[in-house]
């Protein structure tokens, strides 16, 4: 159902990389990554990055991915990502906050 490139991008989204990080790793633009992620969401009828991650990991471990499990897995993935982010050092948080502030200024 998904192309080789879509599967690559799905795997990188599932481990939490940003579109910029995925683009740098695969030598493609951030916009190409975003468009591909939108295509993946459309093909799989999923709406959130956490659902994409849940789908990927369910597929990796051979688990069923019906709607109920999708919601449960998406919630679990969200909790895991939030937990992982709580361990990010203060310096990294400050750098990310500055990048976000700079992007908001650029877009305004």
């Amino acid at each position: 159902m998904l192309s080789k490139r879509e599967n690559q991008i799905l795997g990188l989204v599932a481990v939490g990389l940003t579109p910029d990080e995925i683009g740098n790793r695969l030598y493609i633009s951030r916009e190409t990554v975003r468009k591909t992620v939108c295509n993946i969401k459309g093909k799989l009828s999923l709406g959130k990055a956490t659902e994409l991650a849940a789908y990927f990991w369910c597929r990796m471990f051979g688990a069923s991915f019906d709607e109920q499990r999708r919601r449960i897995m998406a919630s679990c993935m969200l909790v895991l990502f939030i937990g992982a982010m709580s361990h990010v050092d203060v310096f990294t948080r400050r750098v990310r906050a500055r990048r976000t502030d700079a992007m908001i200024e650029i877009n305004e």
Side-chain angles (χ1 to χ4, degrees):
M1 179 178 240
L2 297 179
S3 70
K4 183 178 178 180
R5 178 63 92 182
E6 288 170 334
N7 278 312
Q8 282 180 315
I9 292 173
L10 175 61
L12 296 172
V13 168
V15 295
L17 295 183
T18 66
D20 285 332
E21 293 168 329
I22 294 169
N24 290 337
R25 184 170 287 194
L26 299 178
Y27 303 104
I28 57 178
S29 75
R30 171 184 41 196
E31 291 307 312
T32 300
V33 173
R34 288 184 178 160
K35 187 173 183 176
T36 304
V37 169
C38 282
N39 290 340
I40 294 168
K41 287 178 182 177
K43 285 183 177 183
L44 300 176
S45 299
L46 301 175
K48 301 176 184 175
T50 53
E51 289 179 328
L52 288 176
Y55 171 83
F56 176 81
W57 292 111
C58 282
R59 194 178 70 185
M60 288 296 292
F61 293 112
S64 172
F65 195 69
D66 59 20
E67 186 168 344
Q68 182 179 5
R69 285 190 183 187
R70 180 176 76 202
R71 289 180 185 193
I72 292 168
M73 287 296 290
S75 298
C76 291
M77 296 301 294
L78 182 60
V79 169
L80 289 173
F81 286 139
I82 290 171
M85 290 303 295
S86 68
H87 297 294
V88 174
D89 62 89
V90 175
F91 175 76
T92 303
R93 288 184 191 177
R94 288 181 184 159
V95 169
R96 287 182 179 164
R98 288 182 186 145
R99 276 194 231 149
T100 302
D101 292 343
M103 291 303 295
I104 290 170
E105 289 177 13
I106 291 170
N107 290 331
E108 290 177 350

